[in-house]
Amino acid sequence: MKHFINILLFIFCSISLRLSLNAQSMKSFFLIMRNTGEYTLWDGNKIRTFGFAENIVSHPLIPGPTIEVNEGDTVKIGAMNFSQGAPHTIHLHGLDVNQENDGVPHLSFAIEHMDTGYYTFIAKHAGNYLYHCHVSSTLHVQMGMYGKIIVKDKHNSKRAWTNGPEYNSEYAWMTSEFDTLWHSDSVLNMDIDHFDSTGHSEIPIPNYNPQYFLINGKSQNQLYDDDIKLQFKANESIYLRLFNIGFLYNEYVFPSILNAKLISSDGRPINNPEYIDTIIAFPGERFGVMLSGSEEDSGLIELRYRNMNTDSIINSQWIPYNIRYFASTTEKLIKTNYAYPNPSKGNININLGYQIEKSRLKEVFIFNIHGQRIFPQIHIDSNKIVIDLSNYKNGNYLIVVDNKSFISSIMR
Amino acid sequence: MRYLILFFIMTYWNLSFSQIKTLDIYIHHGQVLMYDSIAIDVTSFNNIDSFQAKHLNLKYSVGDSLLISIYNRDSSSHQLCIPYLNWFSDTIKTGDSLNSSLKLNQSGFFVLKDVIHNHNVLDGSIQVGYNNNKSFYWNIRSFSSVNSLNPYRPDYFTLNTHSKPDIVYDSSAVPVANVGDTVLIFIANTGLSYHSLHFHGFHSEILFSSKFSNHSGRLKDTFPIYPKQSLILRMVPDKTGIYPVHDHNLLAVTGGGIYPNGMFISMKINGQ
Ligand SMILES: [Cu+2]
Ligand SMILES: [Cu+2]
C-alpha cells in the first residue's frame, strides 16, 4: 500500500514537471532514474538500458530529457530512483556546481532505490553542458544515463550567449556508443552486487567493442530524422551544439560550403573563433558551431568515431544537410519498402517515383555498416536505380539517393 | 646605499634567471608497479644513478643554459629529445655516455622523450618559467600489461605512475589550495593514448598548449591531451570542497579492468 501511494506521488511529481516550467528565474525539473529500460536500435535490435525517463510509466530516453534553461536561472533538478537496485546520481558536467550538488556519490550523496534527491545550481554561463550519473560511471554512462543541458541566453533571443552571435535555428547532437555485450544481465547484475554503504563500488569492466555509433541515440537511416538532419534556408545560420558523452573521440568533417565556424567550447565563448572544416570533440567536451550556406546544396557531413588508444577510425556516420533558397515542406523520409527486394541476394532496386538523370549517379552514396563508402555497380532502369551488391558481404547497407536514405540488407 | 641594493638585486636577477646548469641523466631498466602490484618492465631516465620508477620532471628558468650528460646503463640504445624545442641527443649505445647542451629561450612545459622507444619508457617533462606559482604536476599515461602494440590495448591509466586510490599520497600531484589562489597544473601525456581530462568544480584557462598554440586563453572544463604533448592550466578556485579530475574516456578510469582504479584524482580547496 505504501508503495502504491509512493507511485501515485511520483506520477503526480512527473506531471508537475511540465507545470512548473514557467517561473521566471527558478526552473524545476523532475527525472525518473530506471535500470530496466528497453531501447530499440536502428536495425530493430532491442537492448536493455539504464537511463533518465520523463515519467514513471515510460522507458528511459537515450539521451535523457534535455534540460533547457536561461542564463541567470536558478535550476532545481529532482531525481527519483526507481532502479530496483543500484543507487544513482546526477553530475552536472561543466556547470561548476559546489561539492554538495556535484553528484559524485562518495563526495555528495547517492540516491538509493525509491529515494528522491535534489540538485540546485545557478546557470551562470550560456552554453552547452551535460548531465550524467556518476555512480560506477563507466558502466552507468555506457548504459545510457546521460542527457544534455542547454543554457540559453538571458533574453531567449536566438543568440549563442547573451549579446552573442545570432542564429536562425539550432540543432543539438549528442554522441555516444553502445556495446551490446555490456547491456546483458550478467554484466549488470555484477554492478548491483558490489556497492558498499557509501555508494562506492569496485567493479570489473569488460572490454569495449561498440557496435552502435549514436547521435541523439540514433544512427544510419535514423539520421534523416528532423532533430538531426540539418535543414536551412540559404543565407540563414544554424547554431549546432555538439556534446560527446561516448568513450571514443569524434571527428566531424563539414563540407566547406557550410562555412563551419567554431565559436564556443565547454560553455564559454572562444575568444578567437575559427573557420574550421574538421572539428574534433573528445569525451566530455562540448562545442558550439555556427553554420551558414549561401547556395542551394545538399550533402553529407561525415562523423568519425576514433579509438582513444590506437587512433583508428572505428566507424563513420553520415549526417545529411539540405540548404534551400525557400523553406521547403519537410521532406518525407522514404521508408525501407521502397528498396526491394529487401533483403536481397545482390541486386537492390530503389524506386524513387521519378526519373533521375544519369549524370547524377555519382551522387548515389552507399555505405557499409562501418560507415565506409563503397562503390558497387549502379545503373538506371526507367525510374528506378539498380545497385549490384553481389560482390559485398551479407549485412546491412545504407544507400543515400537524392538526400533520401534507404536501408537494404543482402543475404545469401 | 641605494645603488648597492640595486647591484645586489641585479646580481640576484642574473643568477636566478640566466644560469649555466649541469644536468646528469641516467638511463636504467627496471619495473614499475601498478596499484594492484602488477609489474611492468620499463626504462626510466633520472638524475640519480639507479633505477627510479618515476617520470623525471625538470624545472628551469627562461635563459638557463643546460650542460647535459647522459649515461646509458640499459641494455639497448636510447636517444633523448625535446621535440617542441627541437633538441635531439645523439644515439647513446649501451654503456656509453655523451654530452650535449641546450639553451632555454622560451617558457612552457615540454615532453622529454625517447626517440627510439615510444613505449615502455617513463618519459619525462621540463618546465621552463612559470616558477612563482602554486604548481602541481601530472605525468599521465597508459600502460599495457600484455605489452603488445598490435593492437595497443592498455589496461592501466596513471598520473605520475599512480592511479586511484594510491595517487592520494603524491603531494606533487594532488592539488591542495585555498579559495582565491592561482593554481597552475602542468600536464604531460607521455603515453600512447589520447586522454580527455575533465575537471569538476572549476573551469581553467589554457596557458600553454604544445599541440595547439591557438588554444591559449580558452576557458574549459575538459582538456584533450594528445600523445607526447603537454598543457599548462591556470585555475582560481572560487569555492571550498573536494573536486575530482578524471579522464572522461571512462574506460581510463579503470585499472586492470577494475573501476574506478584509473586516471582519477581529487583537488582539495580550503577556505582562506
Ligand atoms: Cu547510475
Ligand atoms: Cu562528466
Side-chain angles (χ1 to χ4, degrees):
Chain A
M1 184 59 196
K2 185 166 168 273
H3 273 207
F4 180 70
I5 291 168
N6 274 342
I7 288 168
L8 278 183
L9 195 66
F10 301 137
I11 292 172
F12 173 73
C13 287
S14 325
I15 295 166
S16 65
L17 159 74
R18 288 282 157 220
L19 300 177
S20 58
L21 291 176
N22 293 327
Q24 266 292 300
S25 59
M26 172 80 189
K27 287 191 182 149
S28 302
F29 298 86
F30 201 87
L31 301 170
I32 307 294
M33 302 148 130
R34 299 195 55 183
N35 278 27
T36 49
E38 185 183 82
Y39 192 71
T40 307
L41 294 149
W42 70 273
D43 56 1
N45 193 6
K46 285 183 169 50
I47 56 166
R48 181 175 163 196
T49 58
F50 295 1
F52 295 95
E54 284 178 316
N55 56 59
I56 202 142
V57 290
S58 60
H59 277 295
L61 302 174
I62 305 292
T66 298
I67 291 175
E68 200 178 292
V69 299
N70 289 94
E71 193 177 282
D73 284 347
T74 298
V75 184
K76 190 173 181 186
I77 302 175
M80 198 276 284
N81 182 350
F82 207 61
S83 68
Q84 279 138 35
H88 295 301
T89 67
I90 292 179
H91 168 57
L92 299 156
H93 178 116
L95 286 152
D96 296 348
V97 302
N98 62 17
Q99 184 183 332
E100 177 66 14
N101 288 289
D102 197 32
V104 179
H106 60 288
L107 297 173
S108 50
F109 59 91
I111 306 170
E112 300 290 334
H113 172 55
M114 296 305 276
D115 257 359
T116 300
Y118 292 91
Y119 298 88
T120 309
F121 65 96
I122 295 170
K124 286 188 191 144
H125 299 270
N128 308 318
Y129 304 90
L130 313 169
Y131 68 91
H132 62 81
C133 178
H134 221 289
V135 174
S136 306
S137 54
T138 311
L139 192 58
H140 289 207
V141 168
Q142 165 60 203
M143 289 307 292
M145 300 201 74
Y146 46 77
K148 302 166 199 147
I149 299 179
I150 295 178
V151 181
K152 297 206 160 174
D153 79 313
K154 236 183 228 147
H155 318 294
N156 220 7
S157 63
K158 289 196 174 179
R159 287 177 184 272
W161 54 85
T162 305
N163 301 321
E166 283 183 280
Y167 56 83
N168 298 98
S169 52
E170 64 181 292
Y171 289 82
W173 294 347
M174 182 179 234
T175 53
S176 56
E177 316 93 31
F178 279 147
D179 179 343
T180 53
L181 179 81
W182 291 44
H183 297 251
S184 63
D185 290 348
S186 59
V187 171
L188 298 178
N189 294 338
M190 211 139 59
D191 170 36
I192 293 162
D193 290 339
H194 283 69
F195 284 94
D196 68 19
S197 56
T198 63
H200 183 72
S201 62
E202 273 205 358
I203 51 166
I205 297 293
N207 283 334
Y208 190 56
N209 298 299
Q211 309 86 10
Y212 294 91
F213 302 85
L214 310 172
I215 303 159
N216 296 349
K218 301 172 180 180
S219 36
Q220 303 286 88
N221 59 321
Q222 297 173 319
L223 305 183
Y224 287 73
D225 288 1
D226 285 341
D227 63 319
I228 297 173
K229 176 178 179 173
L230 302 180
Q231 298 247 45
F232 53 128
K233 273 166 76 178
N235 300 316
E236 289 197 343
S237 53
I238 280 181
Y239 188 42
L240 176 60
R241 305 169 184 272
L242 305 176
F243 310 73
N244 183 0
I245 187 64
F247 303 164
L248 303 176
Y249 81 90
N250 300 148
E251 187 175 45
Y252 294 87
V253 184
F254 292 97
S256 56
I257 197 165
L258 295 176
N259 298 305
K261 188 183 187 185
L262 188 65
I263 63 167
S264 82
S265 164
D266 295 359
R268 299 290 186 280
I270 287 176
N271 47 19
N272 47 349
E274 42 181 345
Y275 283 98
I276 179 173
D277 288 341
T278 301
I279 291 176
I280 293 175
F282 276 82
E285 282 195 295
R286 293 91 58 211
F287 288 103
V289 185
M290 204 63 96
L291 303 172
S292 60
S294 52
E295 297 164 46
E296 285 210 334
D297 189 46
S298 62
L300 299 166
I301 297 161
E302 184 179 3
L303 165 53
R304 301 172 180 150
Y305 293 78
R306 302 184 70 140
N307 186 299
M308 296 283 285
N309 299 314
T310 63
D311 202 27
S312 55
I313 299 171
I314 307 293
N315 186 274
S316 287
Q317 292 292 314
W318 300 82
I319 310 157
Y321 67 87
N322 191 4
I323 311 172
R324 289 289 169 259
Y325 288 128
F326 304 101
S328 58
T329 51
T330 313
E331 284 184 47
K332 277 266 173 296
L333 173 70
I334 295 183
K335 293 292 179 199
T336 48
N337 56 344
Y338 283 81
Y340 65 91
N342 193 3
S344 141
K345 291 210 181 302
N347 260 359
I348 286 156
N349 304 289
I350 305 286
N351 195 342
L352 285 171
Y354 54 85
Q355 198 102 34
I356 186 165
E357 279 169 43
K358 270 215 167 64
S359 62
R360 297 192 54 203
L361 276 182
K362 62 180 189 307
E363 292 172 41
V364 177
F365 298 94
I366 302 154
F367 304 101
N368 66 17
I369 191 132
H370 306 293
Q372 291 154 339
R373 192 171 169 193
I374 58 166
F375 298 90
Q377 290 281 334
I378 304 174
H379 71 270
I380 292 177
D381 179 1
S382 74
N383 64 353
K384 65 177 199 255
I385 292 171
V386 184
I387 300 164
D388 179 9
L389 290 173
S390 57
N391 290 328
Y392 293 89
K393 273 192 239 160
N394 285 352
N396 284 298
Y397 291 83
L398 172 65
I399 300 164
V400 179
V401 184
D402 219 20
N403 217 244
K404 300 172 190 71
S405 78
F406 307 86
I407 294 288
S408 269
S409 318
I410 51 171
M411 260 184 226
R412 293 197 182 81
Chain B
M1 182 61 189
R2 208 161 50 180
Y3 290 104
L4 195 65
I5 291 170
L6 199 62
F7 170 76
F8 277 116
I9 290 174
M10 294 284 284
T11 314
Y12 177 75
W13 183 274
N14 277 326
L15 281 176
S16 59
F17 288 95
S18 172
Q19 282 193 346
I20 294 175
K21 292 184 173 166
T22 59
L23 166 63
D24 294 333
I25 298 177
Y26 301 91
I27 302 172
H28 283 271
H29 194 83
Q31 288 189 322
V32 59
L33 288 185
M34 299 292 102
Y35 80 95
D36 55 0
S37 302
I38 293 286
I40 294 177
D41 277 1
V42 290
T43 300
S44 126
F45 26 94
N46 251 290
N47 37 24
I48 302 170
D49 195 0
S50 63
F51 174 78
Q52 305 288 308
K54 56 185 178 192
H55 302 276
L56 180 63
N57 182 32
L58 302 164
K59 297 174 196 179
Y60 293 103
S61 299
V62 176
D64 283 353
S65 291
L66 305 187
L67 295 176
I68 307 168
S69 304
I70 308 170
Y71 305 87
N72 185 358
R73 318 286 204 218
D74 188 19
S75 55
S76 66
S77 296
H78 292 275
Q79 182 188 8
L80 301 192
C81 72
I82 305 172
Y84 194 93
L85 299 178
N86 206 18
W87 172 81
F88 292 82
S89 79
D90 290 331
T91 301
I92 319 146
K93 292 208 170 71
T94 301
D96 273 3
S97 65
L98 64 74
N99 296 317
S100 178
S101 66
L102 172 63
K103 176 104 166 94
L104 301 170
N105 291 322
Q106 57 180 310
S107 61
F109 186 57
F110 317 112
V111 166
L112 165 66
K113 72 179 199 81
D114 194 320
V115 179
I116 299 169
H117 308 269
N118 217 8
H119 182 52
N120 284 4
V121 176
L122 298 182
D123 287 333
S125 55
I126 175 167
Q127 169 191 349
V128 184
Y130 301 98
N131 294 313
N132 302 311
N133 293 282
K134 189 166 257 186
S135 300
F136 300 92
Y137 299 89
W138 302 344
N139 187 316
I140 62 173
R141 63 164 294 168
S142 52
F143 286 97
S144 167
S145 63
V146 293
N147 229 332
S148 162
L149 283 177
N150 233 338
Y152 184 51
R153 271 185 187 262
D155 44 1
Y156 292 91
F157 304 90
T158 59
L159 298 105
N160 302 351
T161 75
H162 305 299
S163 58
K164 188 183 163 86
D166 57 330
I167 184 63
V168 296
Y169 303 110
D170 185 343
S171 60
S172 72
V174 177
V176 177
N178 294 327
V179 168
D181 282 354
T182 296
V183 177
L184 299 193
I185 297 177
F186 293 77
I187 310 170
N189 176 5
T190 56
L192 296 178
S193 301
Y194 294 71
H195 298 285
S196 186
L197 289 180
H198 172 61
F199 284 63
H200 291 224
F202 317 98
H203 273 61
S204 298
E205 181 191 346
I206 299 175
L207 283 192
F208 171 85
S209 163
S210 65
K211 175 91 179 164
F212 300 105
S213 60
N214 64 324
H215 290 191
S216 289
R218 287 189 186 174
L219 268 176
K220 286 173 67 65
D221 54 65
T222 306
F223 301 89
I225 312 179
Y226 287 61
K228 312 293 179 184
Q229 300 291 337
S230 51
L231 286 176
I232 306 175
L233 306 181
R234 176 170 58 200
M235 183 179 75
V236 183
D238 64 348
K239 53 188 166 295
T240 60
I242 296 172
Y243 298 97
V245 181
H246 60 85
D247 197 335
H248 223 284
N249 167 15
L250 298 174
L251 300 167
V253 189
T254 65
I258 303 293
Y259 172 94
N261 302 330
M263 198 176 284
F264 187 111
I265 190 170
S266 288
M267 311 185 282
K268 189 171 192 321
I269 311 301
N270 301 309
Q272 268 163 316

